[in-house]
Amino acid sequence: MYYNKVEICGINTSTLKTLTDEEKDELLKKTADGDMNARRDLIDGNLRLVLSVVQRFGGRGESADDLFQIGCIGLIKAIDNFDISVGVKFSTYAVPMIIGEIRRYLRDNSMLRISRGMRDLAYKALGAKDALSKKLSRDPTIEEIAEMLGEKPSDVSAALDAIVAPVSLYDPVYNDGGGDSIYLLDQISDVRSVDESWIDDIALSEALKKLNERERAIVTMRFYKGKTQMEIADEIGISQAQVSRIEKTALERIKKQL
């Protein structure tokens, strides 16, 4: 089940109802006549549809519960606005409504506010990229995309960068299977903060002396010299996962000493 869980918003997803087409049509007619009990049954009977749509938005770091609730809003809007006389299946009408509601939520709650003009340019650039890829049998350059759109390459590049979802410094980029994850933060070196004096300032020098030679070397390279775990691993000839594990143990020992 989605996100390895069987409960979303307190609902056991394995017990969600499934309506037959006949039951759905009957409930839609009753709902259109103002029957609120039929409306409630129609909502309950289409929660699996919401769940299937929510699964399309996995991997974005959003709460499954939040997306499910927003999807339910889209479902309710679809029920309240559905015209049974049109002859279209309810799911055909409801799915775009649910997707639209979730996309609107993701856009409005993004940490980065992107202007409508830049967003529109980005989507035009994506379309142009697809068209040029088919024509050229390769990925087009920013200059080629810009030329096709009649835009400046710098504007196209900025627009495409703007719609890339932000990542957290604590997103795992590797896991050795033993529970020791390596995070994006561990790949970043900070050469501006290489200042050994801060150790003395916060009374760490004595704690460092109590580390074994390898622990002390790794802590020194990481926090004195601003090296990444990958750089340290290459230098001392062990895996990055081992560097991460040793660093974690050393920091825990330092914390206890302090």
Side-chain angles (χ1 to χ4, degrees), residues 67-86:
L67 294 183
F68 187 73
Q69 291 182 64
I70 299 301
C72 287
I73 294 174
L75 171 64
I76 292 170
K77 288 183 178 180
I79 291 173
D80 291 343
N81 291 282
F82 185 68
D83 186 350
I84 58 177
S85 66
V86 175

Side-chain angles (χ1 to χ4, degrees), residues 21 24-25 28 82 86-94:
D21 289 339
K24 198 174 297 182
D25 290 342
L28 283 168
F82 185 68
V86 175
V88 177
K89 287 186 64 175
F90 175 70
S91 59
T92 302
Y93 177 77

Side-chain angles (χ1 to χ4, degrees), residues 207-258:
L208 283 171
K209 292 177 182 178
K210 297 181 180 180
L211 298 178
N212 63 44
E213 184 177 351
R214 174 166 286 186
E215 290 173 337
R216 188 161 54 250
I218 288 175
V219 170
T220 299
M221 285 187 280
R222 275 288 280 154
F223 301 105
Y224 283 10
K225 301 179 180 178
K227 293 188 176 183
T228 68
Q229 290 183 345
M230 181 63 76
E231 290 171 335
I232 297 172
D234 290 340
E235 186 168 331
I236 64 178
I238 61 176
S239 71
Q240 187 174 359
Q242 287 176 296
V243 172
S244 177
R245 190 179 301 115
I246 294 170
E247 178 188 318
K248 181 178 179 181
T249 300
L251 292 178
E252 288 176 351
R253 291 181 59 186
I254 291 174
K255 186 182 294 184
K256 288 179 181 180
Q257 292 294 329
L258 293 176

Side-chain angles (χ1 to χ4, degrees), residues 31 35-44 76 79-80:
T31 300
D35 188 331
M36 298 307 293
N37 288 327
R39 180 175 180 267
R40 186 177 303 110
D41 290 341
L42 193 57
I43 293 170
D44 291 342
I76 292 170
I79 291 173
D80 291 343

Side-chain angles (χ1 to χ4, degrees), residues 107-207:
R107 181 191 67 221
D108 294 343
N109 288 274
S110 172
M111 291 182 292
L112 300 177
R113 298 299 179 187
I114 304 170
S115 70
R116 185 60 178 268
M118 180 169 286
R119 189 183 298 274
D120 288 344
L121 177 57
Y123 292 144
K124 289 179 182 177
L126 291 175
K129 181 180 180 181
D130 287 340
L132 286 170
S133 295
K134 294 176 182 178
K135 179 180 178 180
L136 303 173
S137 298
R138 61 172 173 80
D139 287 338
T141 64
I142 291 295
E143 288 73 17
E144 290 169 334
I145 296 173
E147 182 179 357
M148 182 175 181
L149 296 175
E151 301 283 350
K152 295 179 180 178
S154 58
D155 291 342
V156 172
S157 179
L160 290 173
D161 287 343
I163 63 170
V164 176
V167 296
S168 169
L169 289 174
Y170 295 94
D171 281 348
V173 296
Y174 173 78
N175 190 298
D176 65 355
D180 294 306
S181 295
I182 295 171
Y183 299 94
L184 181 60
L185 180 65
D186 297 325
Q187 310 303 300
I188 302 172
S189 90
D190 183 3
V191 297
R192 296 171 301 175
S193 299
V194 181
D195 185 1
E196 297 182 11
S197 64
W198 68 276
I199 298 244
D200 293 326
D201 293 339
I202 57 176
L204 285 175
S205 57
E206 290 301 317

